[in-house]
Amino acid sequence: MTEPPQKLRTPVLETARLHLRPMRYEDSRATQEKFPHWEVVKYLNAKIPWPYPEGEAGRHLAEFIPKMEAGELSGWAICLRNEPDELIGRIDLRPYKQGEEMRGFWLAQEYWSRGLMTEAANRVTDFAFRDLGFA
């Protein structure tokens, strides 16, 4: 497998209905509100604490954002195009490591069954292949 570039980028990406922008510290409020629901969390990585502690979103972003800014990984807030500041989910891209997923994502339950996550995932996957040179 061809290795991706040494440094990853997290540019703004758009789709017909979505605005994907880099995660930021201010997203902790919306994340803490929309993420810790069992139906959202149950299929994700076992490293995620459950029940999700109060303040965990802020703690996590304090670790995640510096890694994103250093180009170690990419992380986008999924927002509707008409509300580009309001996070409704998240999608991440990581370099290939044997046995680990390269992409992770979640979407607030009230936005399910509309094809939004498919739209976001397709856009990030396209970015990974075409712009970053993932194999």
Side-chain angles (χ1 to χ4, degrees):
M1 173 173 278
T2 304
E3 290 296 317
Q6 295 292 33
K7 286 192 159 235
L8 297 182
R9 299 182 286 121
T10 310
V12 170
L13 303 174
E14 300 224 327
T15 71
R17 299 179 293 169
L18 299 174
H19 178 80
L20 308 175
R21 59 163 173 77
M23 291 294 296
R24 51 191 185 210
Y25 294 107
E26 303 86 68
D27 292 323
S28 65
R29 178 200 50 81
T31 301
Q32 191 70 45
E33 175 188 317
K34 295 176 186 309
F35 178 71
H37 300 277
W38 182 242
E39 291 301 312
V40 173
V41 175
K42 70 181 178 182
Y43 298 110
L44 300 180
N45 188 309
K47 295 177 186 175
I48 295 169
W50 189 259
Y52 199 69
E54 187 63 38
E56 181 64 16
R59 187 204 62 75
H60 170 73
L61 288 174
E63 290 179 6
F64 181 87
I65 289 174
K67 290 179 183 179
M68 185 181 72
E69 291 171 344
E72 295 174 31
L73 42 77
S74 297
W76 289 269
I78 300 171
C79 306
L80 299 174
R81 278 187 84 153
N82 62 347
E83 296 181 68
D85 291 319
E86 190 58 36
L87 173 145
I88 64 169
R90 177 172 157 179
I91 188 163
D92 299 343
L93 185 64
R94 296 176 291 280
Y96 177 74
K97 288 185 184 174
Q98 187 67 37
E100 291 186 20
E101 293 292 326
M102 294 175 68
R103 195 176 59 185
F105 47 84
W106 65 268
L107 187 67
Q109 200 168 3
E110 61 266 28
Y111 296 94
W112 291 6
S113 301
R114 299 183 197 178
L116 294 172
M117 185 51 74
T118 300
E119 198 172 310
N122 286 345
R123 182 62 184 98
V124 168
T125 300
D126 183 63
F127 171 74
F129 289 144
R130 293 177 190 258
D131 296 294
L132 296 178
F134 278 40

